[in-house]
Amino acid sequence: ATIAGANMTVLPLVLATDLGLGPGAIGALFAGQAVIAVAGAVPVAALADRLGPATLIPPALLVTAGAYALFPASVSHSYECVAAAMALSAVGSCLLGSAPTAAATNAVKDRDRAAALALLRACGDVGLLT
């Protein structure tokens, strides 16, 4: 959720101030992320089913961290560099999308599933607010 918070609040401000992008260019970058998310959802879910959702979490975090590590350098270069970093971020988010929920569901007994999902959701909301 912290990833979403940074992506939806800080990143547009950086793109507007540091790169001088207008709403249309910023919107196009976020639309590109949405396309990646939609196109990747089913293949990533199949991969999670095949490998196990917990297996996807570490690589997803590494890809996402790598993308955010690239942002400072990309902003000082060009729109294309920012687009590449945002695409990489979208891939990481796509990999991370349902894996924690599925992993939490798999980690607890059936009777504890609702509590585990509620706790996961609450922690995600705290992350969004921080």
Side-chain angles (χ1 to χ4, degrees), residues 85-106:
M86 288 183 72
L88 188 61
S89 172
V91 169
S93 292
C94 190
L95 286 168
L96 197 56
S98 61
T101 304
T105 301
N106 292 342

Side-chain angles (χ1 to χ4, degrees), residues 1-85:
T2 301
I3 295 167
N7 204 32
M8 289 185 279
T9 56
V10 176
L11 188 56
L13 295 172
V14 169
L15 294 174
T17 57
D18 291 357
L19 273 181
L21 298 179
I26 294 171
L29 289 168
F30 283 101
Q33 283 189 315
V35 167
I36 290 169
V38 169
V42 172
V44 166
L47 187 64
D49 286 341
R50 187 170 40 247
L51 301 176
T55 306
L56 293 184
I57 295 172
L61 291 172
L62 286 173
V63 169
T64 303
Y68 278 91
L70 290 174
F71 277 124
S74 66
V75 169
S76 66
H77 283 90
S78 69
Y79 180 85
E80 290 78 12
C81 290
V82 171

